[in-house]
């Protein structure tokens, strides 16, 4: 072990205590052994270093920090160098605020467009997500601050996220939901990684030895610390055994006493505890070497603006309505122009240092501007606002309508109800189109939406969630100061019902079955030939590009791109592979490389994209490793997954392994929209577990399950909470605290109250809910008067 000398100076109690946090955001110091405390803080889109009492939902005020565009937005840049630059700025601000571990980036593969936290994740493709995350990690850690990619793994749903069980076959898990983390770990070399709340195939991620020991540490060589998501520790002892190093937040002495007792009884060896302490000390001591430095917030605002500019996607430009001339008689309409939707809600919320609003700066770009609000955030028609907007639009040379998803649609702990845009905004667009067809929609949102209204506008800019400088970036693109070069990192389907995941997402019960397997997002739409609004990788420019002279083999792809337009611009070329005649069941196309290229007018450049070890592989459940099917592969180069410009067949040497039955093309379900139990079992490789809803609630049932509790008091309390949750959502202001409480399992109460409620007391609370009054009350009262104490336990063991 690297830190043996320090570990030898620590008592068993100190070692057990170190593996559980001191409070909400910091670890415990061990002064006698020279071990300092370190601070962890949320930070995927900017630092959220809280002032005063801490919480993990962004409820209490935090220090001022730069708010960068969300991960879902930056992914549209397909620019790993930009990701690294953002990471560096995050690292600088972490140094200035005394933060040692930045809890991000988030890189879960987007399984469904309805996930309320999609804004915090990069893409529906694991290759793109992994590459972008690796850039963030390199940037953050270049400043002596640990990055912490999250949430490992198969965390695709917010509803009951702390109690759900992701049931997914091993091949799909490896290829779609772990490849992103594999790239991030191997190429970014993070010092910390965060486990997810959910179970993966029946075992909680934080105590899943297959994930933490076999794959993360064994196959990928990760040697840093594993931290729980906040309140995500289920069985502390089993987490330590599996490879988890730090439980957050702290639980006073409750968890430490459990581990101490397990060592004393022989249930776990002290050598395992020492190993977890050693891995944790590596990060603590590395972070302690960093010097605190001031951050340049104006400089970082510039980086945030650059990120937003490079991430805006031009989706429609009929008759080249864009860019707009500075002297255009312009009408700007929409509540989002006055108060931008620039970030998601929840633990990633940033107290922006310099939020810029469109109306504050628009006249720096356009001289003749009129504003009309047109609608409010709440989805309710306002006739007076609409009439004002229509009257203003009649004589305008152009109308820019700022539309978007309101805050209630995208929040941690809450799924979206649909992919629809609020009806009041769509209705207003229709009314405006009756009096002026020259409409450009500037849309703010963190995830794909349905667009049956697309024909009513001539131009469409996808702004994403652009961060504090997003308004400036949008005006730069609208005016042509910046040529748009972003491309979509997820598929925009015509209807949510076009996707297989729509049949069982979100899962209402604890078990979430990934029946679509590999066929999520573009992997399904390309394989099934589904007509979409916009495909993965789609985006227009103010200039044009031609591709040619493709040369490809199994190691790399080389091709030329020429800017055939009149102005400079960026093109994002994408490399896909396909094996139409192969024996392995796989999607029609899979992304395996990309390059963002800047070209001056008339310039031609040859670009080379490497094909790495992930280009042709599939996971073989029989050999328990990735294998390659040899034969003739197609290498496809295009401007999107649907716009393939160049194709070449290459011969690839195979690894020679026999194809498992579950991976053969014949294993393809007859209808991916309706995968049967038998077909899913074939993909899983084992029968589905029979689950029956128990009449009694358990420690890991979510609190909202108490609507069926035997105890009438419990039913009344939970129904009141659910009613409060519904009212807050209906009002357009979701109460994050109530969202969290109703989703939390009973044992989560012990993990989130800093020792006020212990695990034994949580069990007694479950007894009460199940109408076992005597046992429940006795346990709760006894727990109040005899809290776990490491000091007392040490004395008793002497």
């Amino acid at each position: 072990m690297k830190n043996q000398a320090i570990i030898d100076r620590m008592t068993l109690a100190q070692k057990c205590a170190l593996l559980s946090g001191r409070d909400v955001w910091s670890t415990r110091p061990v002064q006698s052994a020279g071990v300092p405390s370190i601070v962890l803080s949320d930070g995927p889109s900017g630092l959220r270093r809280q002032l005063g009492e801490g919480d993990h939902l962004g409820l209490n005020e935090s220090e001022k920090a730069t708010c960068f565009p969300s991960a879902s937005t930056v992914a549209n840049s397909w620019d790993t160098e930009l990701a690294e630059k953002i990471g560096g700025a995050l690292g600088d601000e972490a140094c200035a605020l005394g933060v040692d571990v930045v809890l991000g980036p988030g890189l879960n593969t987007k399984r469904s467009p309805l996930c309320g936290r999609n804004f915090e994740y990069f893409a529906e493709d694991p290759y793109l997500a992994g590459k972008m995350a690796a850039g963030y990690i390199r940037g953050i850690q270049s400043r002596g601050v640990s990055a912490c990619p999250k949430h490992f793994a198969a965390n695709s749903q917010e509803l009951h996220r702390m109690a759900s069980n992701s049931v997914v076959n091993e091949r799909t898990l490896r290829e779609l939901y772990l490849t992103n983390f594999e790239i991030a770990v191997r190429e970014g070399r993070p010092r910390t990684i965060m486990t997810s709340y959910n179970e993966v195939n029946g075992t909680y991620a934080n105590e899943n030895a297959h994930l933490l020991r076999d794959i993360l540490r064994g196959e990928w060589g990760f040697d840093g610390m594993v931290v729980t998501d906040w309140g995500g520790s289920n069985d502390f002892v089993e987490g330590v055994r599996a490879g988890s190093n730090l439980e957050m937040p702290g639980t006073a002495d409750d968890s430490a006493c459990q581990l101490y007792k397990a060592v004393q009884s022989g249930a776990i060896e002290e050598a395992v505890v020492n190993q977890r302490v050693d891995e944790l000390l590596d990060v603590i001591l590395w972070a302690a070497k960093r010097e605190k430095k001031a951050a340049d917030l104006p400089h970082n605002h510039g980086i945030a603006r650059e990120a937003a500019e490079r991430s805006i996607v031009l989706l429609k430009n009929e008759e080249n309505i864009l860019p707009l001339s500075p002297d255009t008689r312009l009408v700007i309409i929409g509540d989002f122009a006055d108060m931008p939707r620039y970030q998601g809600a929840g633990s990633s919320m940033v107290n922006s240092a310099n939020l810029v609003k469109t109306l504050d700066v628009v006249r720096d770009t356009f001289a003749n501007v009129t504003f009309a609000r047109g609608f409010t955030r709440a989805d309710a028609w306002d006739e007076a606002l609409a009439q004002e907007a229509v009257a203003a639009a009649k004589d305008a040379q152009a109308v820019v309508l700022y539309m978007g998803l309101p805050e209630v649609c995208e929040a941690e702990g809450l799924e979206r109800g649909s992919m629809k845009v609020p009806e009041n905004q769509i209705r207003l667009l229709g009314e405006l189109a009756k009096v002026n067809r020259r409409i450009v929609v500037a849309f703010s949102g963190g995830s794909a939406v349905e667009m049956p209204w697309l024909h009513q506008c001539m131009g469409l800019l996808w702004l994403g969630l652009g961060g504090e400088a997003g308004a400036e970036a949008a005006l730069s693109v609208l005016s042509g100061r910046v040529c748009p070069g972003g491309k979509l990192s997820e598929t925009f389907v015509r209807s949510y019902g076009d996707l297989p995941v729509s049949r069982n997402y979100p899962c209402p019960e604890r078990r979430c079955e990934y029946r679509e397997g590999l066929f999520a997002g573009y992997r399904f739409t390309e394989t099934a030939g589904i007509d979409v609004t916009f495909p993965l990788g789609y985006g227009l420019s103010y200039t044009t590009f031609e591709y040619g002279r493709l040369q490809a083999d199994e190691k790399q792809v080389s091709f030329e791109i020429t800017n055939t337009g009149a102005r400079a611009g960026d093109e994002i070329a994408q490399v896909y592979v396909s094996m139409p005649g192969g024996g392995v069941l796989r999607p029609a196309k899979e992304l395996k490389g990309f390059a963002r290229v800047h070209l001056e007018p008339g310039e031609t450049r040859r670009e080379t994209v490497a094909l790495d070890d992930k280009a042709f592989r599939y996971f073989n459940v029989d050999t328990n490793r990735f294998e390659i099917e040899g034969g003739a592969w197609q290498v496809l180069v295009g401007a999107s997954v649907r716009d393939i410009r160049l194709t070449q067949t290459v011969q690839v040497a195979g690894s020679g392994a026999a194809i498992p039955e579950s991976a053969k093309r014949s294993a393809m379900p007859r209808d991916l929209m309706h995968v049967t139990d038998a077909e899913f079992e074939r993909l899983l490789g084992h029968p589905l577990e029979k689950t029956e809803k128990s009449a009694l609630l358990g420690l890991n049932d979510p609190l909202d399950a108490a609507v069926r509790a035997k105890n009438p008091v419990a039913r009344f309390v939970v129904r009141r909470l659910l009613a409060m949750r519904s009212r807050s959502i209906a009002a357009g202001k979701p109460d994050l605290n109530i969202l969290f409480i109703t989703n939390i399992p009973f044992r989560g109460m012990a993990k989130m109250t800093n020792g006020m409620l212990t695990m034994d007391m949580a069990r007694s609370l479950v007894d009460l809910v199940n109408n076992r009054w005597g046992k429940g009350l006795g346990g709760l009262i006894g727990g109040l008067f005899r809290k776990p104490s490491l000091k007392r336990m040490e004395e008793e063991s002497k």
Side-chain angles (χ1 to χ4, degrees), residues 584 618 620 622-623 625-630 654-660:
V584 173
Y618 76 96
N620 187 309
D622 288 347
T623 63
R625 67 184 185 189
F626 283 97
E627 305 284 0
I628 295 175
E629 181 182 11
S655 56
I659 303 171

Side-chain angles (χ1 to χ4, degrees), residues 257-314:
C257 282
Q258 294 168 33
L259 184 57
Y260 186 94
K261 185 177 180 180
V263 173
Q264 292 289 79
S265 68
I268 187 172
E269 295 181 359
E270 188 171 356
V272 175
V273 176
N274 290 344
Q275 183 63 43
R276 297 293 90 81
V277 170
D278 189 52
E279 293 155 353
L280 177 56
L281 285 174
D282 264 355
V283 178
I284 291 174
L285 298 177
W286 173 79
K289 298 176 183 177
R290 187 194 69 249
E291 295 181 5
K292 187 173 181 179
K293 299 178 182 178
D296 187 343
L297 294 183
H299 173 75
N300 290 348
H301 180 85
I303 294 175
R305 177 171 176 168
E306 177 189 0
E309 289 173 345
R310 294 178 69 80
S311 302
I312 289 174
V313 186
L314 177 62

